[in-house]
Structure formats: structure tokens, C-alpha cells
Amino acid sequence: MSKNYKIGVIKGDGIGPEIVDEAIKVLNKVGQVFDIDFEYKRMLLGGEAIDTTGVPLPIETKEGVMLCDAILFGAIGGPKWDMLERHLRPESGLLALRAHMGTFANLRPAMVYDELVDASTLKPDVLQGVDIMVVRELTGGIYFGQPREQLEDRAYNTMIYTKEEVKRIAHVAFEIAMKRDKRVCSVDKANVLEVSQFWRDIVIDIAKGYPEVELSHMYVDNAAMQLIRNPKQFDVILTGNIFGDILSDAASMLSGSIGLLPSASIGSQIGIYEPIHGSAPDIAGQNIANPLATISSASMMLRYSLGESKAADMIDEAVKMSLKEGYRTGDIGAYSAKEICSCSQMGDVVASYIKD
Ligand code: NAD
């Protein structure tokens, strides 16, 4: 009997619809091979939701996501909505959705494909073999702390972490490390921030439950430098919301293009899977975006939310094969390309490598 999963699909704005369509193409192909039926439920978020309903996170989406097994998401935002008040902008819809769903852990792999080692601005010998997982706390810290205010002569935000918030994200990082190289580097700013010393003390405590995992600590400024100097030293990086936001973008550039890297936001029953890039308004509607980050996000969805790791492996392998055979979208077109593909052609190529 075939398995059936309900996937909430939020295509979003800009290139969102184009890249999500390619991920669905690949999911359908893998579904044929593994006898899985995907039932897609379209939902609105961000700019498209503002235009249709007047708010960035409509109630139908808030309720709808809770009835799904996982959410596949493209990207939101664009200049059209930038003049709106902050709480009405597309991005506030995404922050609110993450908080609503309780997806407190953001997983961002940063790996370097051998075929694209020249695509990065760093030297190939620094990059070859890089395979990092950044585990970023997503629903706490300075982005959410109260009080926060902008006054005429000053503005302030508050960085808060509770014990429970640190414990649960630390557990996620150690569990992931157990399935990888068993090394966690916790990144903080404990030399100047009380909240970071608090974070560090709790991480040390949680580490006692994972004696096989080697724990180290690094200040965030040094971590930024080390990521560029010698990225191979890292296995799992565990960090808070704002530090993770910045470090994971820096780590993403190791791979050469923002269009390659996926992410997962997990922690509650239902995960959100999305590329790390934004809605790229500058190339929207041209069928030239790189869909590989979104296709790899669909793979993470199979692995982390649906427990279909063999299907996920098949997608990862198909992405690698596509690159190995020289298929490139424009953003990585300068690097040993055999053929420059459109967004939809790249989806076709990846799907063609998915077979029994
Ligand atoms: P961006 O990631 O959208 O684009 C940065 C650059 O990378 C652009 O030149 C773009 O063309 C290119 N790029 C991005 N994805 C690509 C892909 N798949 N293939 C090829 N090239 C790609 O960042 P930005 O320009 O700073 O932001 C644009 C909009 O996206 C803003 O409104 C921003 O708020 C929003 N945004 C949304 C998310 C999200 O939905 N999670 C994340 C970041 C930014």
C-alpha cells in the first residue's frame, strides 16, 4: 500500500513559485519510485498573502499548516511591500509562522560540491571536503526579546534566553552530531554577554549526556574568522538566533552560490523546509533561478519530517549527478559547465536521475 503525506506548500513571492514547482517535480518522481503519494495543500504567506488577504500570515495558513505532515516553502518578500509598517511586511509573516509552529531549531548544512569547488571565492584546498551543519536557535534571543522599542533619541532590543530554550536546542545539536562526526562547537559571546555565559553553562551541562561528542566553545567573532580561515575544522556549529543568522550566511558562501543550500526549521511536530536564499526579485519570473536549494530542502523534509531517508538519499545523489554531469544554472554557470539550464530544465535534469 502506498504511503500518503500531506505537504503544505507555500510558494511565496519572487522566484518562490518557480523553485517550489521544481522541488515538487522531483518529489513526485521520487514518490513514483518509493510508492509515496504527496498531497499538496497550497497556502499563502508574505507578499502574496498581503495582496490577497491584507495580512502577511492569514488565519487559513496558521490553521492549515497544523494539519500537514511538513511544509515546503519557497521565499517571500520584495520591494513592492518594503514601504509597509514592519509588522505588516512579508518577513513578519514568516517570523510569526515559525513562532506559531514552534520550529525552534534551524538546520543549515553548508557543504562544498567537488564539482563547484572553484565557484567559491576561497581557495580549493581550504574548501575540499567541507561539510558543516549549523544548528541555529530560531525562536528566541534578540529577535524576539522584550522589551524592544524605537524612540526618538534611542532604540533598544533585548537578548533573552531561558534555560529550557537553550537545553532543547543543545539537544538537537548533540543528536545531530551523534549521526555525523561527533563534534559540536558552541558559538557565543561569553566574554561580554551574561546571556552567552548562561548559554555556555547549560550547553556544558547537556554535553554530559553525550560523552561521545567532543564539545568546544568559540566566541562569535573568532568563529566568523575561522569559517573563512579553516572551515574544515567544524562539524556541528551550535549557536543562538542572531549569531546563527550571520554565521550561516557566511558559511553558505563556502559553497559558492546561495542558490545551492537548503534549510530545515524543526523542533515541533511539523517542520518547515526552505532554501536559505530570499525571493530574488531581480531575477523573478525569468525561469533562471537555481532550484537546487529548494530541491535539497525537499530532501531534508523527507529525511527529518517524514522519515524517508532512502528517498532523501536518492534526491541528494541526483543533485550531485546533475552537477557532476556539468548541468548548471546561470548563477554557477562559470564553473565547468557542460550546459546552462533554465530553472525548469534543472528540475527536469535532477528528476531524470531519480529512478529505480
Ligand atoms: P536574495 O537571497 O533574495 O538575493 C540575493 C542575491 O542572490 C540576488 O542577486 C539574487 O538574484 C541571488 N539569488 C538568490 N537566490 C537565487 C537562486 N535560487 N538562484 C540564483 N540566484 C539567486 O536576498 P535579497 O536580495 O537580500 O532579498 C530579496 C527579498 O527576499 C527581500 O524582500 C528579503 O526580505 C527577502 N528574503 C526572504 C527570505 C525568506 O523568505 N526566507 C530570506 C532572505 C531574504
Side-chain angles (χ1 to χ4, degrees):
M1 211 175 71
S2 70
K3 282 174 274 184
N4 184 289
Y5 298 113
K6 202 177 279 181
I7 310 299
V9 174
I10 300 174
K11 294 188 179 183
D13 311 315
I15 59 170
E18 300 163 50
I19 52 179
V20 170
D21 283 349
E22 298 317 306
I24 287 178
K25 189 186 277 176
V26 171
L27 273 177
N28 286 340
K29 193 76 189 288
V30 96
Q32 283 169 19
V33 174
F34 288 90
D35 203 11
I36 303 170
D37 272 342
F38 295 105
E39 190 187 330
Y40 303 105
K41 297 270 171 205
R42 274 230 44 204
M43 291 167 207
L44 302 180
L45 184 77
E48 189 191 16
I50 294 168
D51 290 350
T52 316
T53 70
V55 291
L57 174 56
I59 185 79
E60 294 77 18
T61 301
K62 257 180 124 168
E63 290 174 0
V65 290
M66 303 317 272
L67 304 173
C68 296
D69 295 305
I71 309 298
L72 183 64
F73 171 49
I76 50 155
K80 184 178 172 191
W81 303 280
D82 279 351
M83 79 300 290
L84 294 173
E85 276 183 61
R86 190 169 301 281
H87 71 283
L88 290 175
R89 283 193 212 157
E91 293 77 3
S92 68
L94 180 57
L95 286 182
L97 182 72
R98 288 173 179 157
H100 169 66
M101 294 178 67
T103 51
F104 64 84
N106 186 229
L107 315 186
R108 281 199 189 192
M111 63 287 194
V112 177
Y113 291 105
D114 282 348
E115 297 71 24
L116 294 178
V117 78
D118 292 330
S120 173
T121 47
L122 299 186
K123 290 187 190 134
D125 59 319
V126 174
L127 292 170
Q128 233 131 24
V130 163
D131 181 8
I132 302 170
M133 178 68 86
V134 180
V135 177
R136 165 190 169 196
E137 201 288 328
L138 199 60
T139 54
I142 197 163
Y143 292 170
F144 290 90
Q146 296 290 346
R148 56 190 295 162
E149 200 171 7
Q150 184 173 352
L151 302 167
E152 210 165 274
D153 64 339
R154 81 194 69 174
Y156 53 88
N157 292 86
T158 310
M159 191 154 170
I160 300 182
Y161 271 114
T162 65
K163 196 168 192 177
E164 209 35 58
E165 283 172 335
V166 184
K167 274 167 75 173
R168 66 187 186 179
I169 190 73
H171 276 299
V172 170
F174 283 104
E175 290 293 337
I176 286 175
M178 286 295 289
K179 297 187 190 123
R180 295 173 49 100
D181 203 34
K182 298 192 174 63
R183 290 182 293 124
V184 170
C185 178
S186 174
V187 173
D188 60 38
K189 191 70 183 165
N191 48 344
V192 284
L193 298 176
E194 281 78 3
V195 63
S196 278
Q197 187 58 54
F198 179 78
W199 170 286
R200 193 178 276 217
D201 293 345
I202 295 166
V203 171
I204 289 171
D205 207 38
I206 298 300
K208 291 176 189 152
Y210 300 88
E212 287 174 59
V213 179
E214 179 193 310
L215 171 65
S216 60
H217 305 274
M218 203 178 271
Y219 298 136
V220 62
D221 38 352
N222 186 25
M225 192 176 76
Q226 295 298 335
L227 265 176
I228 309 302
R229 195 185 73 83
N230 176 20
K232 271 183 260 192
Q233 70 184 285
F234 295 107
D235 177 27
V236 174
I237 293 179
L238 160 65
T239 191
N241 204 343
I242 188 166
F243 299 154
D245 195 1
I246 299 162
L247 289 181
S248 54
D249 264 26
S252 74
M253 279 327 289
L254 302 172
S255 81
S257 172
I258 200 167
L260 292 169
L261 295 178
S263 80
S265 300
I266 60 168
S268 65
Q269 226 175 338
I270 306 150
I272 308 176
Y273 297 86
E274 59 177 304
I276 66 159
H277 57 74
S279 59
D282 52 332
I283 57 167
Q286 299 175 40
N287 193 22
I288 57 170
N290 187 341
L292 294 181
T294 318
I295 291 171
S296 299
S297 303
S299 157
M300 287 188 90
M301 177 176 84
L302 290 165
R303 194 179 304 285
Y304 290 102
S305 275
L306 308 180
E308 299 286 352
S309 53
K310 286 202 174 110
D313 289 345
M314 192 174 274
I315 293 182
D316 293 348
E317 210 40 54
V319 168
K320 274 190 205 141
M321 278 306 290
S322 309
L323 293 171
K324 197 167 171 203
E325 293 301 314
Y327 296 100
R328 308 274 188 269
T329 41
D331 55 318
I332 47 173
Y335 309 99
S336 21
K338 181 179 86 178
E339 193 176 326
I340 302 295
C341 303
S342 67
C343 179
S344 53
Q345 283 167 339
M346 196 65 179
D348 290 340
V349 169
V350 176
S352 74
Y353 286 113
I354 290 178
K355 43 192 154 207
D356 270 322

